[in-house]
Amino acid sequence: MAITLTEAAARHVTRYLGRRGKGVGVRLGVKTTGCSGLAYKLEYADDIAPEDVIFEGHGVKVLVDPKSLPYLDGTELDFVREGLNEGFKFHNPREKDRCGCGESFRV
């Protein structure tokens, strides 16, 4: 099982954690919500929980709880700029469908 980051995502996280002055990486998970059933949740992590599964790419740690891992296996986290918008994108090979509003997905 693996979660990866692009160089752009790692740069963004590193810059943000530097400005923030604390943090060990990002926490990635899923929650039940929306039209299709699951939504990604991403937050900056200040500590590592004992149950966290840790992945590292380009010097950045990605922490994933064991319950979310089966839905996220193989996911690549990217940070993109599209016009005036910028943000994280999830490239998840397990994703079968995404709702029209873009908030949730199904595996």
Side-chain angles (χ1 to χ4, degrees):
M1 294 196 162
I3 307 293
T4 58
L5 291 102
T6 64
E7 286 186 49
R11 273 194 312 271
H12 180 77
V13 170
T14 300
R15 264 188 260 127
Y16 186 83
L17 290 175
R19 277 184 276 168
R20 204 170 164 246
K22 64 179 180 175
V24 296
V26 291
R27 185 175 306 284
L28 178 60
V30 295
K31 62 183 178 178
T32 304
T33 189
C35 315
S36 297
L38 296 170
Y40 297 106
K41 60 180 183 176
L42 180 70
E43 60 190 14
Y44 292 94
D46 292 332
D47 54 3
I48 298 171
E51 67 274 6
D52 284 336
V53 180
I54 304 168
F55 300 95
E56 190 165 342
H58 305 285
V60 173
K61 286 183 176 58
V62 179
L63 314 174
V64 181
D65 68 273
K67 290 181 182 176
S68 295
L69 192 54
Y71 302 105
L72 297 171
D73 184 30
T75 298
E76 178 186 63
L77 181 60
D78 194 8
F79 188 81
V80 296
R81 290 194 171 118
E82 296 171 342
L84 298 175
N85 299 317
E86 66 180 16
F88 287 102
K89 289 263 185 181
F90 304 93
H91 303 285
N92 185 345
R94 296 185 173 281
E95 221 178 87
K96 301 286 187 245
D97 192 26
R98 184 172 275 273
C99 74
C101 66
E103 180 185 325
S104 61
F105 69 98
R106 181 175 60 82
V107 291

